[in-house]
Amino acid sequence: MIDALKRLLDDKNVLTAAEDIIPYGFDGTATLKQRPLAVVFPANTAEVAAVIKLTREHKTPVVTRGNGTGLSGGSVPVAGGIVLCLTRLDRVLELDQANLTLTAEAGVVTQRIYEAADAVGLFYPPDPGSMKISTIGGNVAENSGGLRGLKYGVTRDYVMGIEVVLADGSICWLGSKCVKDVAGYNLRDLFIGSEGTLGIITKVLLKLLPKPAARQTLLATFAAMDTAAETVSAIIAAKIIPCTLEFLDRRTLQCVEDFAKVGLPRDAEAVLLIETDGHPAPVAEEASKIEEIARAQGATTIVRAANAEEATRLATARRSAFSALARLRPTTILEDITVPRSKLGDMIRFVNEVATKHNLQIATFGHFGDGNLHPTILTNERDEAEMHRVEHALKEIFDHALSLGGTITGEHGVGLAKKAFLKQQLGDSSYLLLQQIKRTLDPENLLNPGKVF
Amino acid sequence: MHCGMCLPTCPTFTETGRERNSPRGRIALMRAVADGELPFSRDFAEEMSYCLGCLACTTACPAGVDYAHLLEIARSEAEQRGLLKTPARSFVRWLTLRFMFVHPRVMRAVGCLLWLYQVVGLQSLVRRLKLTAVLPRRIRELEPATPQIHPPFSDTLVAKNEPARCAKSYRVALLTGCVADLILAGVNRATADVLEENGCEVFTPRNQHCCGSIHEHNGDLDTARRMARLQIDMIDPFSVDAIISNAGGCGSHLKHYDRLLADDPTYAERATEWTRKTRDISEWLVEIGFRAPKPNLPLASTRTIVTYHESCHLAHGQKISAAPRAILRSLPGYELLECAEATWCCGSAGIYNITQPTTAAWLQQRKVGHLLATRAEVVATANPGCHLQILNGLRSADAPRIRVVHPIVLLAEAYQREGKR
Ligand SMILES: Cc1cc2nc3c(=O)[nH]c(=O)nc-3n(C[C@H](O)[C@H](O)[C@H](O)COP(=O)(O)OP(=O)(O)OC[C@H]3O[C@@H](n4cnc5c(N)ncnc54)[C@H](O)[C@@H]3O)c2cc1C
Ligand code: SF4
């Protein structure tokens, strides 16, 4: 099969030497790794389809990969399988200014999509922390969120169409440039967030928005995490929907400041990074209102970013939070629970109790406005006893999130890391329904097997 | 942590799109070797030497991974095992690392020969007659990069002890650098001038050695330690307020003497003090609040556009980006215009353009393209390797009139112009 792949894609696009493939043995998730049989780099949809047909003949599993920044082990290889890396599908194909859409191949890096739109006064809102290197295909496959989710939603809200290669190697186009389109089942949405288990996304058609004319960024500090959580609820209750409402606790704050040196207050218990955007007058008004509410709730300080560069620096600093936490301990296990926003205070308190109970260091940050928390356990994978306590803590955190009507993952996907908890959240019949869909689309279980289920 | 935030800043990953050519990939390989999952193979050693060592990843890495140190260890291990040995490579390494860069007199002798070769016109003769075609390929590709040598060297230009030109506040030692001294001794004169203008008494030891950065960079730690001890013998760090370097690559290494000599009982204490006192010239000037030069032209007259290329080891190795720009912005008659990818490696990277000519040339072209796009008449950069690489790049791009210069030279010129109206 390797020889056939080499004939198909050329020798240099089929890697098998240990030195070449070890670096593809993991994604952004701690502790998971596996060496693949080979890593292949097709250049276009036709080559992807040909690879899929070939591997199917040999009953070889295929793990699709963008740039391996996933945080649930989705692109970690499967033993004896190949990694199908889509980074050579890297062309922005069309920017349609009349219909406000952009068409790109799946391997284009998210930041490039943002920049291509920005250059003509348009706006692609989903901005995962990893946007400088994550691929748009990976974003669609994980239905990634970002810092602007509260007002603008997640990747799904911007996908108008996709091209997918199915398990049998056939190529389908799902969706259109039409704002309304109800012809047939909405299968496009089935593939969004399917984590490479149902098909390989090779092209995406994205919706763009006009670029907001003004934005204002505020940084509010708090002496207690609860107060920050209550401030978020109060802002939303006051019928204000800022585009960003991000939260960092003290530990995260200190690590981020050590890296980014943007002048974050190291002694605060919590900070909220808040941004509103839109037309200048309402933005100014909203910023003042937010400031008022935060003060009334007991914020210790509130500062406004002086200019666009400062605002960008703050957002960039926030994006580094997860990686920056690795300054403290060798292994960082990041979770992605999400709860209804009114339950944020409850959830935060619970995470802290769990940390004390199991004698663990847990730092928390997240997209507060979305109810999405990233409690991050700082540990050492080589310390068995501690890893055992980590497992208990995780289980308790998941249980509690579910009891509050929450979910085990808001944006990182199930992958390998959370599959043990999926059934508990979905219930038997929903879980079975998911399995039936998987079996229908991938009867031989060759696409990213072992993930999600 | 393997988040991948470093990938977009890595030139070799950008060139090939392969993980093994990225910091994340190389660290994974190092870890595999450390965990016994991968033998210490020749291929592994080659990957380590394919890395430019530009350290852009260390600026991007939120987790603070000390890639520089990891790479240094892997390279030195590779050297010890002799995995990359070929007769030609061994000869070039011996010639440059063990011979030229160790013996300052040899270096100067070679320098003089090169200078003669250029002045007498042999170089252009050789080029015109295409005699270079008979040289081995590596050397041939290198030939256009042979630097223009400018004697007299620093020892003639800068006296051993020079007083401050205004009220004295500091006593500093000036490191002249070996490559810098050969090709850009004027930079050392300018550095001394600027220091003296700003209240520093300048001590410049004679016949200085290489600081050892080129050795460390290429995995020859023993020689690097030897060179460090020689430096410390030459300048007692306790006797000065600062030790000034004006070459990004050297400065980055000089600041690590503490780590390099940590296990040496006779030198460790002085090495720590050395590290504490070492400053890049621009860093030092900003720290002591340097005096902005007074304009001597009517303000309305046209301004020369200058753009700044960041030396990797200044920007990423020492995290100094703002200070050189502060100097450039202080210059009357100049306007600083940023180029794209200012923090990207130009491909010079120590002796990288000798060991990996293809990647070096690709980076050089990319760099020159961005520089030309600014329409700047002056390119400022603070490292001799970058200086030469860019000079050569501009020459091949048919833009030889663009001036390449160290920011400190521009500052020294501005001080000089003050008096003459
Ligand atoms: C520092 C950091 C910050 C992050 N911040 C955020 C954040 O704010 N919000 C967020 O939601 N996520 C975030 N993530 C997670 C991650 O970046 C996203 O999940 C991203 O979408 C993954 O993209 P990728 O190209 O790296 O995909 P990979 O990691 O390569 O793949 C992810 C999954 O998608 C599948 N896949 C990839 N491409 C395709 C394709 N073309 N067709 C079908 N399946 C495919 C893979 O099989 C795998 O299951 C962050 C990660 C890091 C390291
Ligand atoms: S070196 Fe730093 S930026 Fe690169 S993958 Fe590792 S942690 Fe992330």
Side-chain angles (χ1 to χ4, degrees):
Chain A
M1 185 186 69
I2 301 291
D3 289 337
L5 282 168
K6 284 185 175 165
R7 272 194 300 279
L8 189 68
L9 303 177
D10 199 50
D11 281 7
K12 65 174 190 293
N13 294 312
V14 179
L15 309 179
T16 51
E19 287 83 353
D20 288 324
I21 61 177
I22 285 175
Y24 291 89
F26 50 85
D27 66 356
T29 321
T31 72
L32 303 171
K33 66 176 174 192
Q34 175 67 51
R35 212 183 282 190
L37 189 66
V39 183
V40 304
F41 298 84
N44 50 49
T45 309
E47 286 190 2
V48 171
V51 169
I52 293 298
K53 282 187 183 143
L54 193 82
T55 48
R56 186 178 148 112
E57 268 171 39
H58 292 84
K59 307 256 181 283
T60 304
V62 175
V63 178
T64 309
R65 179 184 158 110
N67 263 327
T69 64
L71 295 176
S72 54
S75 57
V76 173
V78 170
I82 66 156
V83 170
L84 181 73
C85 187
L86 295 189
T87 48
R88 285 178 72 213
L89 277 73
D90 66 349
R91 288 175 305 158
V92 173
L93 299 170
E94 184 200 63
L95 184 56
D96 181 345
Q97 295 192 55
N99 287 305
L100 305 190
T101 63
L102 183 150
T103 312
E105 292 183 318
V108 174
V109 167
T110 318
Q111 175 87 16
R112 252 183 80 205
I113 305 242
Y114 173 85
E115 281 166 7
D118 190 67
V120 296
L122 293 172
F123 181 38
Y124 175 69
D127 61 341
S130 51
M131 69 187 291
K132 279 194 180 148
I133 187 67
S134 68
T135 64
I136 192 69
N139 291 172
V140 175
E142 295 286 13
N143 189 17
S144 298
L147 273 56
R148 305 191 183 105
L150 176 55
K151 176 168 169 185
Y152 290 105
V154 295
T155 304
R156 180 187 303 279
D157 302 307
Y158 297 87
V159 180
M160 299 183 79
I162 52 174
E163 180 186 77
V164 273
V165 174
L166 299 181
D168 62 0
S170 58
I171 301 168
C172 293
W173 175 257
L174 304 167
S176 70
K177 280 190 189 176
C178 302
V179 174
K180 305 160 80 171
D181 183 353
V182 293
Y185 301 139
N186 183 354
L187 292 183
R188 176 193 64 207
D189 271 8
L190 184 61
F191 285 90
I192 301 173
S194 66
E195 306 188 26
T197 60
L198 300 181
I200 292 105
I201 300 159
T202 46
K203 272 187 201 126
V204 292
L205 168 67
L206 300 169
K207 174 172 98 176
L208 303 176
L209 299 179
K211 190 154 74 179
R215 59 177 76 246
Q216 178 67 60
T217 302
L218 299 113
L219 191 74
T221 61
F222 298 86
M225 291 215 263
D226 279 12
T227 340
E230 276 145 27
T231 305
V232 171
S233 307
I235 292 172
I236 292 170
K239 303 187 176 59
I240 301 173
I241 303 285
C243 88
T244 297
L245 247 182
E246 292 289 313
F247 164 86
L248 303 176
D249 75 355
R250 188 194 182 99
R251 270 208 194 96
T252 317
L253 203 69
Q254 291 176 346
C255 287
V256 168
E257 181 56 22
D258 281 345
F259 165 61
K261 307 202 172 55
V262 284
L264 294 173
R266 301 169 140 277
D267 50 353
E269 273 311 308
V271 301
L272 288 179
L273 178 69
I274 311 169
E275 185 169 294
T276 95
D277 68 357
H279 289 294
V283 164
E285 196 183 315
E286 251 181 34
S288 309
K289 266 206 209 144
I290 292 171
E291 208 173 318
E292 234 169 75
I293 295 172
R295 239 179 257 293
Q297 293 289 331
T300 13
T301 61
I302 302 166
V303 284
R304 290 186 184 211
N307 49 40
E309 286 84 65
E310 199 177 310
T312 311
R313 270 204 300 279
L314 286 171
T316 311
R318 154 60 190 93
R319 287 200 185 95
S320 71
F322 162 58
S323 323
L325 278 170
R327 290 172 174 258
L328 296 180
R329 297 288 305 275
T331 310
T332 38
I333 299 185
L334 164 105
E335 286 314 325
D336 179 35
I337 43 164
T338 306
V339 294
R341 284 174 294 210
S342 57
K343 299 287 198 301
L344 270 173
D346 183 329
M347 195 66 224
I348 281 266
R349 271 191 298 277
F350 186 80
V351 169
N352 286 336
E353 282 163 26
V354 168
T356 320
K357 180 174 156 199
H358 293 287
N359 187 21
L360 291 169
Q361 282 183 32
I362 307 187
T364 300
F365 63 97
H367 316 292
F368 247 34
D370 309 341
N372 188 183
L373 290 179
H374 295 317
T376 306
I377 307 187
L378 310 173
T379 174
N380 184 353
E381 62 189 286
R382 294 193 157 106
D383 181 340
E384 252 177 63
E386 185 167 329
M387 288 307 279
H388 201 64
R389 300 205 301 279
V390 170
E391 257 169 53
H392 284 293
L394 286 179
K395 166 99 180 86
E396 285 166 30
I397 290 173
F398 286 141
D399 286 348
H400 193 74
L402 293 178
S403 77
L404 295 176
T407 169
I408 55 171
T409 171
E411 57 177 17
H412 296 160
V414 177
L416 285 174
K418 276 162 278 223
K419 65 179 190 170
F421 299 92
L422 184 63
K423 199 170 187 178
Q424 184 184 351
Q425 173 172 342
L426 295 184
D428 288 346
S429 38
S430 308
Y431 189 76
L432 206 65
L433 178 59
L434 257 67
Q435 280 181 321
Q436 276 166 4
I437 291 173
K438 164 77 174 166
R439 231 171 277 138
T440 311
L441 285 169
D442 179 20
E444 295 179 86
N445 196 25
L446 293 175
L447 300 181
N448 216 357
K451 313 294 169 67
V452 182
F453 304 103
Chain B
M1 176 61 54
H2 18 77
C3 62
M5 300 294 262
C6 50
L7 300 187
T9 67
C10 176
T12 50
F13 176 72
T14 306
E15 186 188 18
T16 66
R18 299 287 187 264
E19 280 276 349
R20 68 172 272 177
N21 308 129
S22 79
R24 179 170 70 169
R26 292 189 186 108
I27 292 171
L29 291 177
M30 293 177 202
R31 189 169 168 177
V33 168
D35 290 351
E37 291 166 13
L38 181 74
F40 203 114
S41 61
R42 188 189 154 90
D43 203 12
F44 172 79
E46 271 169 2
E47 187 51 54
M48 297 305 124
S49 87
Y50 181 52
C51 174
L52 291 148
C54 73
L55 306 187
C57 51
T58 63
T59 301
C61 175
V65 170
D66 193 351
Y67 178 80
H69 196 47
L70 295 173
L71 181 70
E72 189 188 300
I73 294 170
R75 281 188 172 169
S76 110
E77 181 71 24
E79 280 315 319
Q80 273 166 27
R81 289 173 186 244
L83 282 166
L84 298 174
K85 269 209 176 107
T86 61
R89 187 176 183 278
S90 301
F91 176 70
V92 169
R93 283 182 63 91
W94 173 82
L95 183 70
T96 52
L97 299 182
R98 289 281 163 106
F99 193 61
M100 266 171 71
F101 280 96
V102 176
H103 302 290
R105 283 175 216 283
V106 172
M107 187 87 160
R108 278 179 192 85
V110 172
C112 285
L113 280 176
L114 274 175
W115 180 73
L116 268 176
Y117 168 66
Q118 282 160 358
V119 172
V120 178
L122 253 180
Q123 187 174 26
S124 52
L125 190 69
V126 168
R127 274 186 198 151
R128 225 172 313 130
L129 295 179
K130 301 226 179 335
L131 279 182
T132 44
V134 298
L135 298 173
R137 192 176 63 93
R138 278 286 159 83
I139 307 284
R140 202 163 66 226
E141 277 165 2
L142 188 67
E143 204 269 345
T146 319
Q148 294 279 333
I149 304 292
H150 295 289
F153 303 133
S154 299
D155 284 2
T156 2
L157 288 178
V158 186
K160 185 170 178 191
N161 286 296
E162 294 189 4
R165 286 179 206 162
C166 53
K168 180 204 146 185
S169 322
Y170 311 96
R171 176 175 147 83
V172 304
L174 172 60
L175 295 175
T176 51
C178 45
V179 182
D181 186 23
L182 283 178
I183 51 174
L184 304 162
V187 175
N188 288 326
R189 183 61 257 167
T191 309
D193 284 344
V194 167
L195 285 166
E196 288 155 20
E197 265 318 315
N198 284 285
C200 302
E201 176 188 323
V202 182
F203 163 56
T204 312
R206 307 289 87 186
N207 207 10
Q208 294 188 20
H209 288 270
C210 170
C211 64
S213 87
I214 218 120
H215 309 92
E216 183 223 47
H217 204 76
N218 290 284
D220 185 357
L221 288 182
D222 284 343
T223 315
R225 288 197 190 94
R226 185 147 65 84
M227 305 317 289
R229 287 189 206 101
L230 286 171
Q231 293 279 334
I232 296 179
D233 289 342
M234 186 178 71
I235 299 169
D236 175 10
F238 288 101
S239 72
V240 291
D241 295 307
I243 301 161
I244 305 293
S245 157
N246 55 25
C250 307
S252 175
H253 175 67
L254 290 161
K255 288 180 175 174
H256 284 138
Y257 274 11
D258 56 344
R259 195 168 73 192
L260 193 65
L261 295 177
D263 298 328
D264 182 330
T266 28
Y267 281 88
E269 194 193 345
R270 276 178 291 162
T272 308
E273 184 67 4
W274 177 284
T275 295
R276 206 173 67 80
K277 296 260 175 79
T278 305
R279 293 287 185 285
D280 176 69
I281 176 67
S282 62
E283 180 185 23
W284 173 248
L285 287 174
V286 168
E287 195 174 313
I288 64 175
F290 77 102
R291 178 174 72 75
K294 294 189 271 287
N296 75 335
L297 294 165
L299 281 172
S301 70
T302 55
R303 292 156 78 82
T304 307
I305 295 179
V306 55
T307 191
Y308 180 57
H309 158 73
E310 309 208 22
S311 128
C312 293
H313 284 250
L314 196 57
H316 305 304
Q318 304 183 57
K319 311 281 179 254
I320 296 174
S321 266
R325 288 187 167 85
I327 290 175
L328 293 173
R329 285 208 188 86
S330 79
L331 300 173
Y334 283 91
E335 183 183 343
L336 174 64
L337 218 91
E338 294 291 340
C339 60
E341 295 182 356
T343 56
W344 268 57
C345 181
C346 61
S348 161
I351 55 171
Y352 193 87
N353 53 2
I354 307 181
T355 53
Q356 306 276 357
T358 322
T359 303
W362 169 73
L363 279 168
Q364 184 183 45
Q365 275 167 22
R366 189 173 170 123
K367 176 60 68 183
V368 165
H370 291 317
L371 294 173
L372 292 178
T374 63
R375 305 196 171 281
E377 295 147 81
V378 178
V379 174
T381 190
N383 189 50
C386 306
H387 190 120
L388 292 178
Q389 180 83 346
I390 289 174
L391 206 62
N392 282 318
L394 289 170
R395 197 167 7 144
S396 332
D398 261 344
R401 265 191 299 277
I402 296 179
R403 181 178 180 204
V404 182
V405 63
H406 195 298
I408 223 64
V409 172
L410 293 175
L411 182 60
E413 288 173 359
Y415 283 144
Q416 256 165 33
R417 272 198 305 268
E418 280 179 333
K420 311 170 195 151
R421 221 162 252 272

